[in-house]
Amino acid sequence: MESASQDINLNSPNKGLLADSMTDVPVESATAARPPACEGLTPAEEEELRTELAKVEEEIGTLRQVLAAKERHCGELKRKLGLTPFDGLKQNLSKSWHDVQVSNAYKKTQETLSQAGQKTSAALSNVGSAISRKFGDMRNSATFKSFEDRVGTIKSRVVGSRENSTDGLHSPTSVGDKPPQDNAPF
């Protein structure tokens, strides 16, 4: 068994296990545990690539630590300035809305909807004018005048029959000296 003072092989299938708990686990040589390299690589090229991979992974770890430190510092600065996450969200939404408004797609859509609204307004105005004209034509027609005359005749008969009523309970003139009021809608 290897001594605890030696470097830990990160590619080992037994990494993270304590030395005491590995006594019953068979350990293969480091070269046997490695996955097979791409065909056409010499052992020197393979070792060079593994070294470069280890350096890149180490740089990634360092960059993650730096980023975490920068994010903590940013959070502290925002806290000291009294900026809340809600303020940041509002600012992001405002910027996004501004970006949408200056986009060509938004401008074209706005222009198209404006034109459609104008055309719809003109069409509804024309429909309203046509309906008014038709009602005017209908009101001036002989049929409507005849109908209006008949309704007037019926109204005068109904109102006249109330005035000529001899029953004192139903006569509006028997209640007082006031003449009857005409509240009919015609």
Side-chain angles (χ1 to χ4, degrees), residues 28-83:
E28 300 177 19
S29 68
T31 56
R34 287 186 182 168
C38 293
E39 293 180 21
L41 288 179
T42 65
E45 290 173 330
E46 182 182 346
E47 189 59 35
E48 183 180 332
L49 289 175
R50 289 191 188 279
T51 304
E52 186 177 348
L53 176 63
K55 286 180 184 178
V56 169
E57 287 176 343
E58 184 179 332
E59 288 175 2
I60 290 171
T62 303
L63 290 172
R64 283 186 179 142
Q65 291 174 352
V66 170
L67 180 61
K70 294 280 187 186
E71 286 176 340
R72 278 192 304 274
H73 184 67
C74 178
E76 290 172 10
L77 292 174
K78 285 181 178 181
R79 184 182 51 78
K80 288 179 182 177
L81 290 171
L83 300 175

Side-chain angles (χ1 to χ4, degrees), residues 64-116:
R64 283 186 179 142
Q65 291 174 352
V66 170
L67 180 61
K70 294 280 187 186
E71 286 176 340
R72 278 192 304 274
H73 184 67
C74 178
E76 290 172 10
L77 292 174
K78 285 181 178 181
R79 184 182 51 78
K80 288 179 182 177
L81 290 171
L83 300 175
T84 64
F86 183 69
D87 293 331
L89 179 63
K90 281 192 326 188
Q91 185 179 4
N92 287 343
L93 288 175
S94 294
K95 184 181 181 326
S96 297
W97 179 242
H98 175 72
D99 292 346
V100 166
Q101 287 180 322
V102 298
S103 71
N104 287 334
Y106 180 84
K107 289 178 182 177
K108 287 181 183 178
T109 302
Q110 186 180 26
E111 182 180 318
T112 302
L113 290 176
S114 176
Q115 290 173 355

